[in-house]
Amino acid sequence: MQEFRSEKKTDGDDDPQAGRTSRRGLGLGGGGRSLRGPVGSALSTRWGARPVVMVGGILTSLGFIFSAFAGSLLHLYLGLGVLAGSGWALVFAPAVGTLSRYFSRRRVLAVGLALTGSGASSLLLAPALQLLLHTFGWRGALLLLGAITLHLTPCGALLRPLALPGDPPTPPHGPLAALGLGLFTRRSFLVFALGTAMVGGGYFVPYVHLAPHALDQGLGGYGAALVVAVAAVADAGARLVCGWLADQGWVPLTRLLAVFGALTGLGLLAVGLVPVVGNEEAWGGSLLATAGAYGLSAGGYAPLVFGVLPGLVGIEGVVQATGLVMMLMSLGGLLGPPLSGFLRDETGDFTTSFLVCGSLVLSGSFIYMGLPGAMPSCHPASSPATAPPKRGELLPIPQVALLSPGNPHSTLDTAC
């Protein structure tokens, strides 16, 4: 979309008012598409993750293809924002929620490994897109992206349905039950929801404004790109390391969530406060270091916010909870980047923006500290036949059965 605007430039594009509008509006599309996450979860609960993810892949691909023939920005908003965004919402929540149901002892590591793809794509996709744009133009690039995202459909076909203890015998009836809104009646999930919404208010700001902040600090284009690349690499690596750490069982997941959330907030404060001494040819070592620290903490937070869900809502509600988490993060994401752009316009730099957004993340982390007291206690009805594992998540190990046409029903039980 930015390339489309660059090819349709007019004299009014240099208007400062237009720049202010761009800074405040950037990031609204990404937040808006995640608001539809509960819809994907509801459809997955009713019909299963496999068909929902496959349809989502088709919609995402059609959105890019439709946008390749756009004649105005409205067509791009409809294609990328509405059609592709809706397809992406149908893919993410059911896929991540189903992944959590596949694992019991290495669940957070599995989620972290899956989420590493987004961090790696942030690093690799930018230069790849530049190559596609220079080679095929923005319309050809969108067509190729449509072909690439169509691969989500066969990936969705690989998702197999599971029968787990605690799963309802019939799909939920009514829109409220399908969306999982009843989870808000649980004290633990309500505390988690409030903290997650606060964290979302600042979490996405560096994704939008870290490069402009580096440019404001006097770094050139290559220096700003290097800052973003360092943050992306640190983010991707931390997702794996934190997933492994969480699965060791040394520290409860809720405490790890609060710790990494607080570190993310402190990283944002550091990005806003650190001075950069140099010129356009400098690398900005101090900003590189703080951006890397933020990437490590934010990457560690990402798998935890999904990995803690089975302990909060039970494995049977994890798909619906994943969609609600997407919505909660998006609610904060709709506030954070526009607020950051507004503060940049009022103050002349991004220092205040990062300080305010870092304070929001810290506030959400303090709310997380109330999770241990709000967690429900789980007492097994009988002594386990085998000793509990020394490592891994301290939750009951579910008995899993793969559903097949020849065996549509399974008799499963659980003591907790």
Side-chain angles (χ1 to χ4, degrees):
M1 189 176 296
Q2 291 174 346
E3 291 297 326
F4 178 84
R5 279 198 289 260
S6 67
E7 291 193 10
K8 298 294 184 181
K9 279 186 177 180
T10 63
D11 293 338
D13 290 332
D14 295 328
D15 183 14
Q17 181 63 33
R20 289 193 291 268
T21 302
S22 175
R23 280 190 292 268
R24 298 180 191 183
L26 194 59
L28 286 175
R33 68 185 179 186
S34 297
L35 284 172
R36 287 158 277 186
V39 177
S41 298
L43 295 175
S44 177
T45 303
R46 178 64 179 84
W47 285 289
R50 177 185 289 172
V52 173
V53 173
M54 292 177 68
V55 172
I58 294 173
L59 289 178
T60 305
S61 178
L62 289 177
F64 281 102
I65 295 174
F66 174 81
S67 300
F69 300 96
S72 67
L73 283 177
L74 176 61
H75 296 159
L76 284 176
Y77 284 124
L78 291 176
L80 296 178
V82 177
L83 194 56
S86 298
W88 183 85
L90 295 181
V91 169
F92 186 85
V96 175
T98 301
L99 178 66
S100 297
R101 292 168 57 85
Y102 285 160
F103 295 86
S104 59
R105 297 188 182 183
R106 295 293 181 265
R107 179 178 293 126
V108 186
L109 178 59
V111 173
L113 182 62
L115 295 180
T116 302
S118 62
S121 64
S122 299
L123 180 65
L124 300 177
L125 196 58
L129 282 178
Q130 288 298 322
L131 177 62
L132 293 178
L133 288 169
H134 287 126
T135 306
F136 303 103
W138 68 271
R139 295 185 187 273
L142 286 175
L143 286 174
L144 290 173
L145 288 176
I148 293 173
T149 53
L150 187 60
H151 288 76
L152 291 171
T153 298
C155 291
L158 298 177
L159 296 176
R160 298 194 63 182
L162 298 176
L164 296 179
D167 285 348
T170 59
H173 299 285
L176 295 182
L179 292 172
L181 299 182
L183 295 176
F184 287 106
T185 61
R186 304 186 183 188
R187 182 186 172 192
S188 58
F189 189 77
L190 187 60
V191 172
F192 172 79
L194 181 58
T196 302
M198 294 290 291
V199 171
Y203 186 85
F204 297 105
V205 169
Y207 292 93
V208 180
H209 289 151
L210 182 58
H213 174 59
L215 294 174
D216 281 355
Q217 294 294 315
L219 298 180
Y222 288 105
L226 182 61
V227 170
V228 175
V230 168
V233 171
D235 183 289
R239 297 185 184 200
L240 292 177
V241 174
C242 186
W244 172 85
L245 175 64
D247 284 329
Q248 302 310 301
W250 298 329
V251 183
L253 292 183
T254 52
R255 294 183 182 178
L256 276 178
L257 181 67
V259 168
F260 276 93
L263 291 176
T264 302
L266 293 175
L268 277 171
L269 297 179
V271 169
L273 291 174
V274 64
V276 178
V277 179
N279 50 37
E280 292 189 359
E281 287 74 25
W283 284 17
S286 57
L287 186 58
L288 281 175
T290 53
Y294 168 79
L296 289 173
S297 55
Y301 171 84
L304 291 172
V305 75
F306 294 106
V308 76
L309 291 178
L312 295 177
V313 303
I315 197 66
E316 71 279 1
V318 70
V319 176
Q320 293 173 315
T322 301
L324 293 175
V325 167
M326 290 177 57
M327 181 187 70
L328 294 168
M329 294 292 287
S330 297
L331 289 175
L334 288 173
L335 169 67
L339 175 62
S340 176
F342 170 79
L343 294 174
R344 161 64 175 81
D345 295 333
E346 295 298 321
T347 62
D349 56 47
F350 284 102
T351 299
T352 304
S353 301
F354 281 96
L355 294 180
V356 171
C357 294
S359 300
L360 289 175
V361 176
L362 284 175
S363 299
S365 302
F366 290 141
I367 295 174
Y368 285 150
M369 295 175 65
L371 276 176
M375 291 282 288
S377 59
C378 183
H379 303 286
S382 60
S383 300
T386 58
K390 295 181 179 180
R391 294 183 178 182
E393 187 175 355
L394 300 181
L395 290 175
I397 302 174
Q399 302 174 12
V400 180
L402 291 174
L403 296 181
S404 62
N407 182 26
H409 302 287
S410 301
T411 303
L412 299 173
D413 55 13
T414 179
C416 186

